[in-house]
Amino acid sequence: MDILSKIQLHREEEQRLVWEGTFAEYLDILKERPHVAQSAHSRVYNMIKDAGIDTFNGQKKYRFFDNQIFGLEEAIERLVEEYFHPAAKRLDVRKRILLLMGPVSGGKSTLVTMLKRGLEQYSKTDSGAVYAIKGCPMHEDPLHLIPHHLRQDFFEEYGVRIEGSLSPLNTMRLEKEYGNRIEDVIVERIFFSEDKRTGIGTFSPSDPKSQDIADLTGSIDFSTIAEYGSESDPRAYRFDGELNKANRGMMEFQEMLKCDEKFLWHLLSLTQEGNFKAGRFALISADELIVAHTNEAEYRSFIANKKNEALHSRIIVMAVPYNLKVSEEERIYEKMIQASDMSHVHIAPHALRVAAIFSILTRLKDSKKQGMDLLKKMRLYDGEIVEGFNHVDLEELKREFADEGMSGIDPRYIINRISSTIIRKEVPSINALDVLRSLKDGLDHHASISKEDKERYVNYISVARKEYDEIAKKEVQKAFVYSYEESAVTLMDNYLDNVEAYCNKNKLRDPLTGEEMSPDEKLMRSIEEQIGISENAKKAFREEILIRISAYARKGKKFNYQSHERLREAIQKKLFADLKDVVKITTSSKTPDESQLKKINEVIARLVDEHGYNTTSANELLRYVGSLLNR
């Protein structure tokens, strides 16, 4: 289907959603679907909930934020469960401004943008449908037409609570246009749109000397005063401030804590009482979610000022720290690169991972827990198994520092350095070493890094380089070992025969001489040591292998080379250790012979076909691993 056909379908779909009718007809819709009268906070919560919720290890993951926000599951769960959920239930939390506090490039703006775009789409669904009095610049809730003395009766009949009073403009229209016949007032379905300023507003402070409070609350239209005779006539007032236009939805208050005090006074009444003062009118009701964002330094300065106490008590602060998971950090970089014009450049496997390792290390704090270093902590945070530590230790580590993740290198710096690497390197391919080199060079030009931090960060680059060395050797190991798959299977069968004899306290029979032999302890340990199995842990490991074999047998399945991940890794490492000389000769030979050349080509083909390299990055990897093995 071409783009013009899709535009036509989109237009037809928008036309299908349009609805207009009297207030009496709107009540029929309300009786059938009471949720159309939900509050702004309830609408946001239901939008997130309706997208789906997954639970892993007791932690909730909201699908609404998938593919845009990475590694902030805990912060988002706290945001949804401690703010949106209780606010949706009309608890007092809804009378607070939501302030997202965190370091630069931590995802605050992305989170707010997702809520705004989400509301735009949600208002086009049956669950998120919004209805307003037609012709009202504030998209007012039609239920404000119900007189206050009848609202209890309305609740008993419809089960819907009404909050707020009819605006001055609609009070006049009800009298002059409809003769006070509430049932005849025209109601229409509206669709949130930031571009059209319907239900979504954004306020950004500028120079305090030139900014007018009218930007928030609207202003008098002086050209109509002669026609209507008075500034207190609502028809002579433009209800076009951000607070007016964001009614029924949400308003983003950018850099709120940098605002002049007079702009913040209006928020006191709006948050606590659900109304604000504008022009020469009574208080105007508004139902909207106000979201602001700031960094930690600005927030500390704000709360230190005693004059801000009243507003501070009406703010709920939600920390949005940096992501602390290496795998999620990689996804952030991938997303940023895909959104650029450089997505065609080949980035070798693990290039983004080493950048992620470096950035996560800069954000972590040294634990006082015995035996815990930053690398182990990084692995635990990323869901890896670290010997000697478990889930309880992980929870303790997370509780150790309340401000962990609020400082360190931000994703923008990393992506800037990756971008610099992509532009500078003439071949359309970059690898992990190119990225690490660029990260190190960039530290000299990073204005906000202190001398002490720079020394620490250079050390983290060295740590990331060592991690890459291990990854690179393992990658080549896998590619080489595959060519010796048959040897790997034979080695594993031999190991399993010895393990079975050891556990059952049996002897083995020599296949050539037929004489009985004790299990080959040297062989078993040479394999087990490859994955760090200690002398004390060898018995438990061997028994675990036997249990796994018997479990497979009970199910009628054959235990093979792929059946136990750690054993497979041990076999590969052992085989690679035995093959190291072959790899060394093959990868470092300047004039490889025919058999070496064949082996190199096989390994390169495997790296390209199965590991995500191209021929350039595969050759670079082999040369690098060859140099490592020759040291």
Side-chain angles (χ1 to χ4, degrees):
M1 187 184 292
D2 63 30
I3 190 65
L4 292 177
S5 302
K6 290 178 181 177
I7 290 171
Q8 171 70 13
L9 277 178
H10 174 70
R11 189 163 53 241
E12 289 171 2
E13 178 62 19
E14 287 196 326
Q15 285 299 316
R16 187 185 66 78
L17 294 173
V18 170
W19 182 92
E20 187 178 299
T22 63
F23 181 69
E25 291 170 323
Y26 169 67
L27 289 184
D28 291 336
I29 292 174
L30 193 61
K31 187 161 274 187
E32 188 182 325
R33 294 184 291 146
H35 64 265
V36 299
Q38 65 189 324
S39 68
H41 289 84
S42 177
R43 192 173 292 108
V44 172
Y45 173 69
N46 286 327
M47 169 185 75
I48 294 169
K49 183 168 66 74
D50 289 353
I53 305 171
D54 298 317
T55 305
F56 299 104
N57 297 323
Q59 185 176 57
K60 289 181 179 176
K61 190 173 189 296
Y62 299 89
R63 291 183 200 163
F64 178 81
F65 300 99
D66 279 358
N67 303 318
Q68 291 295 323
I69 305 282
F70 304 104
L72 296 181
E73 289 82 10
E74 289 178 24
I76 288 172
E77 182 177 358
R78 194 165 61 249
L79 171 65
V80 175
E81 295 303 323
E82 293 181 20
Y83 184 78
F84 289 132
H85 195 178
K89 300 296 183 187
R90 295 181 183 270
L91 291 168
D92 216 46
V93 174
R94 71 199 168 102
K95 297 177 180 178
R96 309 285 183 272
I97 296 166
L98 174 62
L99 179 65
L100 304 177
M101 180 188 69
V104 294
S105 189
K108 303 184 297 296
S109 299
T110 303
L111 206 151
V112 175
T113 301
M114 287 193 74
L115 292 175
K116 292 197 285 192
R117 297 295 84 81
L119 279 173
E120 289 176 343
Q121 292 304 314
Y122 194 60
S123 67
K124 294 175 183 177
T125 66
D126 289 341
S127 303
V130 190
Y131 295 83
I133 297 172
K134 186 175 183 183
C136 173
M138 285 183 59
H139 336 292
E140 188 163 13
D141 186 346
L143 295 184
H144 286 180
L145 291 162
I146 303 287
H148 284 272
H149 67 279
L150 294 177
R151 290 186 177 182
Q152 183 58 36
D153 296 338
F154 182 85
F155 174 68
E156 289 169 8
E157 184 177 348
Y158 286 85
V160 174
R161 295 186 190 278
I162 304 172
E163 293 181 347
S165 302
L166 196 61
S167 67
L169 180 61
N170 285 324
T171 300
M172 177 177 280
R173 290 179 63 208
L174 177 62
E175 182 184 339
K176 293 186 179 294
E177 293 179 28
Y178 297 102
N180 284 324
R181 287 183 57 81
I182 290 170
E183 61 271 31
D184 293 340
V185 173
I186 301 298
V187 174
E188 64 177 348
R189 182 172 178 182
I190 63 168
F191 306 99
F192 288 162
S193 168
E194 185 174 20
D195 292 340
K196 296 177 182 176
R197 300 185 75 213
T198 304
I200 296 176
T202 303
F203 180 78
S204 183
S206 57
D207 182 2
K209 293 176 184 174
S210 62
Q211 188 135 31
D212 191 348
I213 198 69
D215 294 344
L216 272 182
T217 60
S219 60
I220 297 166
D221 185 352
F222 290 102
S223 66
T224 61
I225 290 178
E227 181 182 349
Y228 297 119
S230 169
E231 289 183 18
S232 59
D233 189 310
R235 292 170 297 180
Y237 195 85
R238 287 193 293 254
F239 295 90
D240 60 355
E242 293 304 322
L243 293 180
N244 308 102
K245 292 299 184 180
N247 186 34
R248 312 296 299 286
M250 68 175 281
M251 188 187 87
E252 178 186 8
F253 211 127
Q254 294 178 348
E255 304 296 345
M256 185 183 84
L257 303 186
K258 289 179 180 172
C259 262
D260 191 76
E261 288 176 6
K262 65 180 179 180
F263 287 92
L264 303 180
W265 292 336
H266 286 276
L267 301 182
L268 297 177
S269 173
L270 178 60
T271 51
Q272 195 61 37
E273 309 300 335
N275 51 43
F276 63 92
K277 190 81 172 90
R280 297 177 181 178
F281 308 115
L283 290 167
I284 296 173
S285 296
D287 171 31
E288 55 197 83
L289 160 68
I290 297 179
V291 186
H293 39 89
T294 187
N295 61 49
E296 195 170 6
E298 278 179 3
Y299 176 68
R300 299 293 169 213
S301 173
F302 173 77
I303 60 175
N305 187 343
K306 293 292 182 185
K307 290 196 293 184
N308 296 326
E309 282 183 356
L311 186 61
H312 183 226
S313 68
R314 289 172 171 84
I315 289 175
I316 279 196
V317 181
M318 287 289 168
V320 182
Y322 284 133
N323 156 60
L324 296 176
K325 297 177 181 175
V326 171
S327 54
E328 295 296 302
E329 190 74 8
E330 279 188 85
R331 295 181 68 193
I332 294 173
Y333 305 153
E334 284 167 5
K335 172 190 150 191
M336 294 169 98
I337 290 167
Q338 287 304 315
S340 74
D341 289 337
M342 302 304 291
S343 56
H344 64 283
V345 174
H346 172 76
I347 298 177
H350 315 299
L352 299 184
R353 183 169 184 81
V354 294
I357 288 171
F358 164 69
S359 55
I360 298 300
L361 287 173
T362 68
R363 299 169 191 171
L364 295 176
K365 293 181 180 290
D366 286 300
S367 174
K368 296 180 178 68
K369 196 173 184 67
Q370 192 172 359
M372 178 59 62
D373 59 31
L374 281 188
L375 268 177
K376 287 178 183 175
K377 189 176 188 179
M378 179 191 79
R379 292 193 175 104
L380 274 174
Y381 274 17
D382 204 30
E384 292 183 39
I385 295 169
V386 176
E387 194 172 351
F389 298 96
N390 56 30
H391 183 69
V392 176
D393 296 304
L394 176 59
E395 294 307 312
E396 284 179 15
L397 287 171
K398 288 178 179 177
R399 287 193 296 268
E400 192 175 6
F401 301 103
D403 62 342
E404 190 165 50
M406 298 298 277
S407 61
I409 289 288
D410 63 283
R412 284 193 195 125
Y413 170 78
I414 302 291
I415 214 69
N416 289 348
R417 299 313 303 165
I418 291 173
S419 303
S420 172
T421 308
I422 289 172
I423 296 297
R424 279 187 306 180
K425 200 170 181 192
E426 291 180 5
V427 291
S429 169
I430 63 167
N431 60 39
L433 297 176
D434 296 325
V435 172
L436 287 173
R437 204 174 294 117
S438 183
L439 289 174
K440 189 174 182 180
D441 293 345
L443 292 176
D444 292 328
H445 311 292
H446 200 302
S448 61
I449 295 179
S450 66
K451 187 179 177 183
E452 293 77 16
D453 281 344
K454 184 187 170 185
E455 288 174 6
R456 205 159 45 90
Y457 292 173
V458 168
N459 181 48
Y460 292 152
I461 288 174
S462 299
V463 173
R465 168 77 176 265
K466 286 174 186 170
E467 286 292 291
Y468 176 65
D469 289 352
E470 291 306 309
I471 291 169
K473 283 190 277 190
K474 193 179 286 187
E475 199 89 298
V476 172
Q477 164 191 319
K478 284 180 185 173
F480 263 91
V481 164
Y482 189 90
S483 306
Y484 296 88
E485 188 79 28
E486 195 176 317
S487 306
V489 172
T490 304
L491 182 60
M492 192 189 76
D493 287 343
N494 195 0
Y495 173 77
L496 292 178
D497 287 343
N498 280 277
V499 163
E500 191 174 354
Y502 169 85
C503 292
N504 295 330
K505 296 184 171 56
N506 291 336
K507 297 277 189 182
L508 286 167
R509 194 169 292 281
D510 188 301
L512 296 176
T513 64
E515 64 180 292
E516 288 190 334
M517 312 178 296
S518 296
D520 189 342
E521 185 65 23
K522 189 177 177 183
L523 170 75
M524 290 187 285
R525 291 302 294 140
S526 71
I527 291 170
E528 291 156 358
E529 283 169 352
Q530 300 294 331
I531 52 171
I533 303 295
S534 65
E535 184 71 26
N536 292 335
K538 69 180 185 183
K539 187 171 185 289
F541 181 73
R542 293 169 188 177
E543 287 172 348
E544 181 207 323
I545 298 288
L546 273 196
I547 291 167
R548 180 77 65 92
I549 292 171
S550 61
Y552 269 69
R554 279 199 308 276
K555 294 174 184 173
K557 290 159 70 177
K558 187 175 183 336
F559 186 89
N560 61 33
Y561 181 56
Q562 307 290 335
S563 301
H564 194 286
E565 182 62 34
R566 293 193 75 204
L567 177 58
R568 183 169 65 118
E569 184 189 350
I571 295 289
Q572 285 183 341
K573 281 187 170 180
K574 167 65 176 158
L575 199 58
F576 187 61
D578 295 343
L579 290 170
K580 194 172 278 188
D581 288 338
V582 177
V583 177
K584 199 186 291 186
I585 293 165
T586 310
T587 55
S588 59
S589 177
K590 290 181 181 176
T591 53
D593 60 32
E594 192 177 330
S595 66
Q596 289 171 344
L597 198 59
K598 184 184 176 191
K599 184 62 64 185
I600 287 173
N601 289 335
E602 279 179 14
V603 171
I604 287 174
R606 190 152 306 287
L607 288 169
V608 170
D609 295 341
E610 296 182 12
H611 296 273
Y613 290 83
N614 67 3
T615 50
T616 303
S617 59
N619 272 296
E620 287 171 343
L621 176 73
L622 281 180
R623 281 199 299 274
Y624 181 62
V625 170
S627 71
L628 286 178
L629 295 175
N630 278 316
R631 285 177 190 172

